[in-house]
């Protein structure tokens, strides 16, 4: 798959049956439909209320950020705010192919969710190790 920002081929990284496309240049990450949910479930984050469907049913976020195109269908993606303060601005394919996170945004979201999971101090480490492992595969 081609990075919607850099237009270079992304690396496929796979762990726990979740396949992500990762751009080594801008550190952006593409989640196919359903993969974000799978990732969050595998981290045992419950009640996060995040799904591609929900994200697409929200009104588009106002943003000066350039609109990127879906790497699958080429349609302009919709900007959406997810998470809590500060919100993470992601891009979602309007027909539901998946979600694009700019570099660092996955960590930002996961950090928030981990912070929310009171008493579960292992969650963030788990995610960091997941992403760390996953992103090592880029070489
Ligand atoms: Zn890129
Ligand atoms: Zn699409």
């Amino acid at each position: 798959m081609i990075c919607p920002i850099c237009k270079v081929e992304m690396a496929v990284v796979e762990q726990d049956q979740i396949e992500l496309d990762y751009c080594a240049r801008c550190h952006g990450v593409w989640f196919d439909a359903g993969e974000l949910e799978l990732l969050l479930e595998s981290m045992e984050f419950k009640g996060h209320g995040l799904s591609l469907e929900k994200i697409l049913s929200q009104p588009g976020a106002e943003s000066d950020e350039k609109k990127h195109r879906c790497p699958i269908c080429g349609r302009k993606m919709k900007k959406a705010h997810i998470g809590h303060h500060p919100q993470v601005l992601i891009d979602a394919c309007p027909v539901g192919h998946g979600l694009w996170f700019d570099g660092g945004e996955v960590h930002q979201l996961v950090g928030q969710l981990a912070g929310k999971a009171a008493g579960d101090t292992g969650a963030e480490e788990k995610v960091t190790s997941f992403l760390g492992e996953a992103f090592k595969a880029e070489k």
Side-chain angles (χ1 to χ4, degrees):
M1 201 178 288
I2 303 295
C3 172
I5 305 200
C6 316
K7 318 289 182 211
V8 297
E9 189 67 36
M10 292 191 280
V12 175
V13 291
E14 194 187 336
Q15 188 156 321
D16 296 340
Q17 281 147 36
I18 303 165
E19 219 182 80
L20 305 176
D21 294 272
Y22 170 66
C23 176
R25 190 178 292 182
C26 66
H27 308 292
V29 184
W30 172 258
F31 288 83
D32 279 330
E35 286 175 337
L36 177 66
E37 291 94 318
L38 279 177
L39 173 73
L40 297 176
E41 268 165 39
S42 79
M43 303 297 167
E44 294 166 32
F45 288 138
K46 297 195 179 75
H48 49 75
L50 289 174
S51 72
L52 181 56
E53 257 171 52
K54 279 204 187 130
I55 290 165
L56 286 177
S57 67
Q58 292 174 15
E62 291 292 323
S63 166
D64 297 332
E65 256 184 49
K66 195 171 176 282
K67 284 202 167 127
H68 306 308
R69 288 181 183 273
C70 171
I72 296 179
C73 66
R75 289 181 174 84
K76 276 195 180 149
M77 291 193 280
K78 178 178 161 171
K79 296 280 177 194
H81 284 294
I82 58 170
H84 299 273
H85 306 285
Q87 287 188 312
V88 182
L89 187 64
I90 61 157
D91 297 84
C93 167
V95 295
H97 286 123
L99 300 168
W100 174 257
F101 284 73
D102 287 325
E105 288 177 342
V106 175
H107 281 277
Q108 227 178 307
L109 175 67
V110 154
Q112 284 182 9
L113 293 171
K116 270 177 65 181
D120 187 5
T121 47
E124 195 168 2
E125 261 170 55
K126 222 161 133 185
V127 170
T128 308
S129 83
F130 177 93
L131 294 174
E133 282 301 310
F135 294 171
K136 268 185 216 152
E138 84 199 47
K139 284 176 202 138

